[in-house]
Amino acid sequence: MKDKWIYGLGLGTLVLSACNQQPKQEANEEAKQPNVIFIVADDLGYADMSCYGAHRIQTPNVDSLAAHGLRFTDAHAVAATSTPSRYSLFTGLYSWRRNDTGIAAGNAGMVIRPEQTTIADVFKAAGYATGAIGKWHLGLGDKTGTQDWNGEVTPGPRDLGFDYSYLMAATGDRVPCVWMENQRVANYDPSAPIEVSYEKPFPGEPLGKDHPEMLTKLKPSPNHGHDQAIVNGISRIGYMKGGGKALWEDEHIADSIAAHAVDFIAAHKDAPFFLYVGTNDIHVPRYPNERFRGKSGMGYRGDAILQFDWTVGEILKAIDQAGIRENTLIVLTSDNGPVVDDGYADRAVELLGDHRPWGDFRGGKYSNFEAGTRVPFIVCWPGKVKPGVSNVLFSHIDMYSSMEKLANQDLGPDAGADSQEHLDVLLGQSTEGRKYVIEAGGSLSIMDGNWKYIRPSNGEVYNKLTNTEMGNDPKEQLYNLKEDIGEQHNVASEHPEKVAELKQILEQEMEKGYAL
Ligand code: NG6
Ligand code: CA
């Protein structure tokens, strides 16, 4: 596929060198504040895209971003699920220091409190236009269950530095199934007032568990529990009433996200902007647009990867059309590792074949093992970031301070307190990365690039519903990742000195605050 992003600079053969060329008006360009776009996929595995080794699926748009940018092999999300992972990405604070950052319900109050500082605040302080589009999953409003979905829900992203927002409150599989635009339901339908509960069903509202015949688009997998409110022929987690014409249609979610991102880019092309785009892909329920359904040969999970790649292509096209490619830093990543069956009978397990979403890593979403938090991570900024592959250790936790540096801001010592500044690593100008990363699955791990220590935990060893090896063990675990990237051999008893060393660093970090 010939793509403007690749070839827009001129001859395809000159692309790689063109990417490194300094813009003509260097002085002006230097002075200009770059636009910043974070594209955060949901549950996309390390090896789910062709640029990360997938061969049964092609992701040409992401691949072009990788070919013209820096593709990291050792980048880590802070947590193996969405809410804590995004909390840390936005705040530069470890989510495990708080006990209320777990997977948020659709009616959760805002997890990042208004008085906390986020990356969006950093860019706002630097005079940027800021926007958040797509998956949020960080709560809205003050307290769980107290939102009035028929009016303005506040506090919200506006209180966290985002001027504009167009968001799903939680996940595709959780009510309320409506878009929140600037903290109000988009396309609000006054004839169908909205009520949401995670406690009890609304009389007269059919539930998936009682009405399988109404589940025309997707049925839940047995025992996962996505069998409550029915919206758009798919049953969800939680109870909901009303919504009318404001209810989303799953097959149009990616289109809505892409369209709003494209509009935001076009509207702000003359001002520096920071845009967070959280895709719904490839989280469950996976029900991609008919343009993608059946196209991957791997069922809806594979089709959702194609749809994710399309979304990236739309964003790149919009940047091209706005003529701001060389002044835009794009970071593409995933919030946590992959899961194949996460609650809907979409045949993902059966059609997976030899595709390995987790690559060579063990575990997956929810797990302490590497596949839980080792994520795809691509940085592209033509002219500034030299294309290539980076094996330097990097963590989402450092995005906060690195963006402070980029935007030339300092919002104080409490802001992003767990975040280290590694802008040079991010831009491929240094190989001096952080010394270790801390990752949260069911337990906490610390990994220094070679060795990984997992704290003892009594959590479940294997999750039968999602087929996940959780990495929990009542005993200490130590893996030599250089020799054993698949974390097969616990060598804790052979290397007590290494265990002691990593454990001590982890405990020092935990002493600063640990609530999970
Ligand atoms: C789990 C859901 C899963 C998914 C996940 C959140 C069950 C059995 N499973 O609790 O389907 O929604 O939460 O995923 O309810 S995340 O990527 O947003 O963290
Ligand atoms: Ca996720």
Side-chain angles (χ1 to χ4, degrees), residues 144 198 228 269 288-289 323 327 383 418 441 504:
T144 298
Y198 276 75
Q228 299 173 340
K269 65 181 168 53
N289 192 272
N327 197 39
D418 293 313
Q504 193 195 6

Side-chain angles (χ1 to χ4, degrees), residues 282-303:
I282 59 167
H283 199 278
V284 297
R286 307 173 187 121
Y287 196 71
N289 192 272
E290 63 181 352
R291 303 194 303 280
F292 304 101
R293 284 203 299 274
K295 295 290 168 4
S296 70
M298 285 180 6
Y300 293 164
R301 185 177 186 280
D303 302 343

Side-chain angles (χ1 to χ4, degrees), residues 181-229:
E181 187 164 30
N182 293 327
Q183 301 173 208
R184 285 176 183 274
V185 171
N187 301 319
Y188 181 71
D189 185 344
S191 72
I194 298 169
E195 287 180 70
V196 169
S197 169
Y198 276 75
E199 283 170 2
K200 50 180 192 325
F202 295 100
E205 292 295 317
L207 302 181
K209 65 181 165 67
D210 306 323
H211 290 278
E213 79 289 353
M214 290 176 72
L215 305 179
T216 51
K217 292 188 175 161
L218 276 178
K219 297 191 186 352
S221 303
N223 306 320
H224 282 246
H226 302 62
D227 58 2
Q228 299 173 340

Side-chain angles (χ1 to χ4, degrees), residues 422-481:
H422 286 297
L423 184 61
D424 287 352
V425 168
L426 195 70
L427 302 184
Q429 291 158 3
S430 165
T431 52
E432 284 292 306
R434 54 161 42 244
K435 299 276 177 282
Y436 55 85
V437 297
I438 300 178
E439 309 169 281
S443 184
L444 278 189
S445 309
I446 177 164
M447 198 277 259
D448 70 3
N450 294 321
W451 298 88
K452 173 163 169 181
Y453 167 78
I454 308 177
R455 285 188 88 213
S457 156
N458 290 319
E460 66 179 342
V461 173
Y462 186 77
N463 184 277
K464 287 203 195 80
L465 289 177
T466 57
N467 302 315
T468 307
E469 294 191 282
M470 302 296 282
N472 294 315
D473 194 321
K475 295 198 295 289
E476 288 180 314
Q477 296 177 76
L478 181 77
Y479 296 98
N480 179 347
L481 296 186

Side-chain angles (χ1 to χ4, degrees), residues 42-43 81-82 86 135 283 335-336 365:
D42 202 347
D43 298 358
T81 54
S82 163
R86 289 165 206 255
K135 171 162 173 169
H283 199 278
D335 64 343
N336 53 252
K365 178 177 179 178

Side-chain angles (χ1 to χ4, degrees), residues 349-511:
V349 173
E350 170 186 355
L351 297 172
L352 197 64
D354 62 356
H355 177 68
R356 294 176 57 78
W358 42 82
D360 294 332
F361 304 114
R362 188 173 180 184
K365 178 177 179 178
Y366 309 112
S367 177
N368 297 313
F369 289 133
E370 279 297 281
T373 42
R374 176 97 59 132
V375 285
F377 193 88
I378 298 167
V379 179
C380 190
W381 186 4
K384 291 289 194 318
V385 172
K386 194 169 166 227
V389 174
S390 172
N391 300 320
V392 183
L393 195 56
F394 191 81
S395 168
H396 283 177
I397 197 75
D398 295 335
M399 288 306 290
Y400 177 89
S401 291
S402 304
M403 292 300 100
E404 264 196 341
K405 176 84 186 289
L406 179 83
N408 204 14
Q409 298 295 312
D410 180 357
L411 302 195
D414 291 343
D418 293 313
S419 185
Q420 299 173 1
E421 186 269 299
H422 286 297
L423 184 61
D424 287 352
V425 168
L426 195 70
L427 302 184
Q429 291 158 3
S430 165
T431 52
E432 284 292 306
R434 54 161 42 244
K435 299 276 177 282
Y436 55 85
V437 297
I438 300 178
E439 309 169 281
S443 184
L444 278 189
S445 309
I446 177 164
M447 198 277 259
D448 70 3
N450 294 321
W451 298 88
K452 173 163 169 181
Y453 167 78
I454 308 177
R455 285 188 88 213
S457 156
N458 290 319
E460 66 179 342
V461 173
Y462 186 77
N463 184 277
K464 287 203 195 80
L465 289 177
T466 57
N467 302 315
T468 307
E469 294 191 282
M470 302 296 282
N472 294 315
D473 194 321
K475 295 198 295 289
E476 288 180 314
Q477 296 177 76
L478 181 77
Y479 296 98
N480 179 347
L481 296 186
K482 280 284 170 259
E483 291 171 7
D484 177 24
I485 197 67
E487 294 167 282
Q488 294 295 328
H489 309 288
N490 181 2
V491 291
S493 53
E494 281 110 293
H495 297 278
E497 73 304 329
K498 202 68 205 173
V499 168
E501 180 195 325
L502 289 176
K503 192 172 155 180
Q504 193 195 6
I505 304 172
L506 182 56
E507 283 173 359
Q508 275 168 3
E509 282 284 3
M510 289 164 62
E511 273 163 27

Side-chain angles (χ1 to χ4, degrees), residues 7 10-18:
Y7 297 103
L11 293 171
T13 47
L14 294 179
V15 164
L16 288 182
S17 55

